[in-house]
Amino acid sequence: MISQKMQQKLNEQITKEFYSAYLYLSMEAYFASQNLNGFANYFRVQAQEERDHAMMFFNYINHVGGRVILGQIDAPQTDFSSLEEVMKMTLDHEQFVTRSIYDLVDLAIEERDHKTNAFLQWFVTEQAEEEASAENNLHKVKLVGTDGRGILMLDAEMAQRVYTPPANPNA
Ligand code: FEO
């Protein structure tokens, strides 16, 4: 079992992860409309990963005998002024998610809920990778600026990203 408070916070995390998927799908749509199909592909994969994250929390709550309650997902931003804005927003969003995961870990420790803490450690590692990728992407788009050739080179790089399902026993 998990506490009512932990259950509520884990349920809220499901909503945050689905919102992340929604936000990245919105970015995919934006890039598709700009004919930057590599960037669109990158964010499609990102959105798939976020749905996996949401389902990992969903499955975990069920696994420990809790009750999943799905919350409302806000509409994401639909238009963006530049490549750099998208990448900055991605980094900001991932930092927000990291803080949220850390809050969950803090609660697990406070409640001596070692089982949930162990489950959450996968996300601690994942968030470090997410932030590193977002920082790297932001750095690259800042480097190329508005140079068309540079943007097309980055677009080709982004097209290489392939979705791989999470290797997590709780998924
Ligand atoms: Fe599920 Fe990108 O955090």
Side-chain angles (χ1 to χ4, degrees):
M1 279 302 290
I2 50 173
S3 73
Q4 280 297 313
K5 187 173 178 185
M6 180 60 83
Q7 177 175 295
Q8 185 194 331
K9 293 292 173 191
L10 292 172
N11 270 311
E12 287 171 9
Q13 191 65 32
I14 295 177
T15 307
K16 287 176 190 172
E17 300 291 349
F18 275 127
Y19 173 77
S20 304
Y22 229 36
L23 176 65
Y24 295 139
L25 274 181
S26 189
M27 291 171 175
E28 178 193 346
Y30 165 74
F31 285 120
S33 77
Q34 304 282 313
N35 293 321
L36 288 170
N37 295 329
F39 282 98
N41 170 69
Y42 183 92
F43 282 100
R44 172 184 292 253
V45 173
Q46 191 68 28
Q48 282 172 310
E49 287 193 358
E50 298 301 350
R51 284 195 294 270
D52 288 339
H53 297 171
M55 289 311 297
M56 283 159 70
F57 281 98
F58 184 105
N59 293 341
Y60 178 74
I61 294 171
N62 283 332
H63 179 66
V64 294
R67 176 73 168 92
V68 170
I69 307 281
L70 297 177
Q72 182 168 324
I73 304 166
D74 291 337
Q77 184 170 327
T78 51
D79 250 312
F80 306 92
S81 60
S82 66
L83 209 46
E84 187 173 329
E85 188 197 0
V86 174
M87 295 309 178
K88 178 74 174 70
M89 189 176 288
T90 302
L91 177 58
D92 289 345
H93 184 68
E94 288 304 328
Q95 287 171 338
F96 161 76
V97 174
T98 299
R99 286 195 296 276
S100 183
I101 298 290
Y102 286 6
D103 286 345
L104 286 169
V105 173
D106 286 348
L107 180 62
I109 291 169
E110 192 185 306
E111 294 188 350
R112 304 193 71 242
D113 181 351
H114 300 300
K115 181 172 52 183
T116 301
N117 190 9
F119 163 72
L120 289 168
Q121 290 310 307
W122 184 90
F123 289 91
V124 171
T125 306
E126 172 72 6
Q127 281 312 118
E129 286 172 18
E130 297 267 64
E131 284 193 34
S133 302
E135 272 174 28
N136 194 25
N137 289 338
L138 177 60
H139 179 69
K140 285 181 187 169
V141 301
K142 276 184 174 171
L143 266 181
V144 300
T146 55
D147 174 60
R149 274 194 303 183
I151 291 173
L152 287 178
M153 271 179 59
L154 274 186
D155 193 59
E157 185 184 320
M158 295 293 183
Q160 301 302 312
R161 187 174 184 190
V162 177
Y163 168 71
T164 41
N168 185 309
N170 296 303

